[in-house]
Amino acid sequence: MDICKTHENASKCSASTMECFMVLSTQAQKISIATLCGLFGTLCIFENSLVLYLIFSSPGTRGKPSYLFISSLALADILASIIFVCSFVNFHVFNETNFSKEMFLLQLGGVNTSFSASLSSLLLTALDRYISISRPSEYKLLMTRKRAWMALGVLWVTCATIASLPLLGWNCCTLNSTCSELFPFVDDNYLSSWICLIMVLLGCIVYAYAHVLWRAHQHVAYMEKHHVQVGKQNTRMRMDVMLAKTLVMVLTVLVLCWSPVLVLMIYSIFAKLSNHLRKVFAFCSTLCLLNSMVNPIIYALRSKELSSSLRRVFSQFRRQLKASEESPEAESTHKSSVIET
């Protein structure tokens, strides 16, 4: 453990020093992490795969820009679940160190790419709703399918490029600079830049949804002031209340899941972390996975079009199941009638 005491040295770049970052000391902690990752990861993959199937199996949804953004969100969350769970459990639970610095940075780049793409897809979804409520008459002209695909292409290329910078040379081993206390081989300046990027994304998402909520409130106030017909007013108010509830859920889940991780990352840049805080960070990291699990429930399954598609899929499944259960009985009845004859 002597090598762990010299954690602040920038020369800590050998594979053996990775043991210093394996902070889970008891079997109970490892089982807890493995259980959380397994549960959240499995549900996340199932839910987001279902969302992708519902979107692309329906001609009415797969061509709309808003559902393209939700598809990007679902794909990013699937990749985040697979890469994060495999690498995180392999490192912290099984204490696997038989891989090179490049392999570790490649895995870390995959995690960063998927989580950054997830948040960026949330931002595009927020901007889509921002444009739809602030400029409804121009929405179809501004948000075309071609522009949506171009935005998604820029999004994924940018996220992958930023996430691959440590692998390309921006790491504390190549630069002989200060290493992060939370991630092996990661330069503190790169971590600071990545935190700033995530904070900007979260800030833009919060601003866009806050504006949407404000405009929804304006609609209700306008209808009350001009005495809109009761039926129309009630319908509109129900829509605004539902929208408000959805957006409050979005912001609450987003802040609760990402705040602990970002706070500890920022704290690690300015102060030395204790082993206890590093264990807390390991458990808080699973909250990002929880966010990916909750995203399809908030963004996709609350959609009327996807909800109706989901009910249709379930009804078809029930009919097929009932038919498969009834077919053996019909066949046995047919055989018995033949024998009697």
Side-chain angles (χ1 to χ4, degrees):
M1 295 298 292
D2 292 338
I3 196 169
C4 296
K5 294 180 181 179
T6 62
H7 176 72
E8 64 274 10
N9 292 343
S11 59
K12 283 177 77 262
C13 292
S14 62
S16 60
T17 61
M18 295 180 66
E19 297 177 1
C20 303
F21 296 87
M22 299 175 181
V23 294
L24 303 182
S25 55
T26 65
Q27 195 68 19
Q29 293 173 354
K30 294 181 179 180
I31 293 175
S32 300
I33 283 287
T35 303
L36 290 174
C37 288
L39 178 62
F40 293 162
T42 302
L43 290 175
C44 182
I45 293 172
F46 171 75
E47 291 172 0
N48 286 286
S49 299
L50 179 62
V51 168
L52 287 177
Y53 172 77
L54 292 176
I55 290 176
F56 287 100
S57 63
S58 174
T61 56
R62 63 187 173 206
K64 293 183 178 180
S66 57
Y67 287 104
L68 291 178
F69 298 147
I70 293 178
S71 300
S72 174
L73 173 64
L75 177 61
D77 287 338
I78 290 175
L79 293 177
S81 302
I82 296 173
I83 302 173
F84 177 83
V85 170
C86 292
S87 58
F88 197 76
V89 172
N90 193 39
F91 185 81
H92 283 290
V93 177
F94 298 108
N95 301 135
E96 182 62 45
T97 58
N98 291 330
F99 45 82
S100 62
K101 176 192 73 175
E102 290 74 17
M103 181 57 66
F104 178 83
L105 291 177
L106 180 62
Q107 293 178 359
L108 184 63
V111 174
N112 286 347
T113 299
S114 51
F115 277 127
S116 300
S118 177
L119 285 178
S120 300
S121 299
L122 289 179
L123 176 59
L124 287 182
T125 304
L127 292 177
D128 176 74
R129 295 182 179 180
Y130 175 88
I131 295 173
S132 67
I133 197 169
S134 61
R135 305 174 72 175
S137 60
E138 305 174 27
Y139 173 76
K140 290 187 177 181
L141 294 176
L142 294 173
M143 193 60 66
T144 62
R145 188 176 181 182
K146 181 179 179 180
R147 289 181 178 179
W149 279 112
M150 289 176 60
L152 290 176
V154 172
L155 179 157
W156 280 92
V157 171
T158 303
C159 291
T161 302
I162 294 174
S164 63
L165 290 178
L167 184 62
L168 297 176
W170 192 356
N171 57 75
C172 59
C173 304
T174 303
L175 302 176
N176 195 26
S177 56
T178 305
C179 295
S180 168
E181 292 192 3
L182 294 173
F183 306 100
F185 315 126
V186 174
D187 178 68
D188 258 351
N189 291 327
Y190 172 80
L191 182 61
S192 302
S193 302
W194 190 81
I195 292 172
C196 290
L197 171 64
I198 298 301
M199 295 291 287
V200 169
L201 290 176
L202 291 175
C204 292
I205 293 171
V206 171
Y207 173 79
Y209 279 137
H211 183 81
V212 171
L213 283 173
W214 177 66
R215 290 301 296 265
H217 173 73
Q218 279 189 324
H219 283 309
V220 176
Y222 175 83
M223 288 184 295
E224 291 178 348
K225 180 179 179 180
H226 292 81
H227 304 289
V228 179
Q229 293 180 7
V230 177
K232 293 182 179 180
Q233 181 180 6
N234 289 339
T235 303
R236 185 69 201 187
M237 288 184 67
R238 282 197 299 269
M239 291 175 62
D240 290 331
V241 168
M242 184 177 179
L243 176 63
K245 288 181 179 179
T246 301
L247 298 185
V248 168
M249 288 171 59
V250 168
L251 298 180
T252 303
V253 171
L254 203 60
V255 171
L256 289 179
C257 290
W258 279 93
S259 292
V261 171
L262 291 175
V263 168
L264 288 173
M265 283 184 182
I266 295 172
Y267 182 76
S268 71
I269 296 173
F270 299 102
K272 186 175 179 60
L273 293 179
S274 63
N275 285 334
H276 175 70
L277 285 179
R278 292 164 69 193
K279 290 179 183 178
V280 171
F281 177 79
F283 279 92
C284 289
S285 298
T286 60
L287 291 177
C288 300
L289 191 62
L290 175 63
N291 185 38
S292 297
M293 186 192 77
V294 175
N295 279 338
I297 300 175
I298 297 177
Y299 284 89
L301 299 183
R302 286 177 67 88
S303 165
K304 289 184 177 180
E305 293 176 292
L306 293 185
S307 297
S308 61
S309 298
L310 182 61
R311 287 192 295 269
R312 186 170 62 252
V313 168
F314 279 148
S315 62
Q316 291 176 354
F317 177 75
R318 283 197 300 267
R319 285 197 298 268
Q320 292 176 357
L321 187 63
K322 186 180 294 184
S324 63
E325 290 177 351
E326 292 176 352
S327 58
E329 296 177 1
E331 185 178 355
S332 61
T333 305
H334 174 71
K335 287 183 179 179
S336 61
S337 62
V338 171
I339 293 174
E340 291 176 0
T341 305

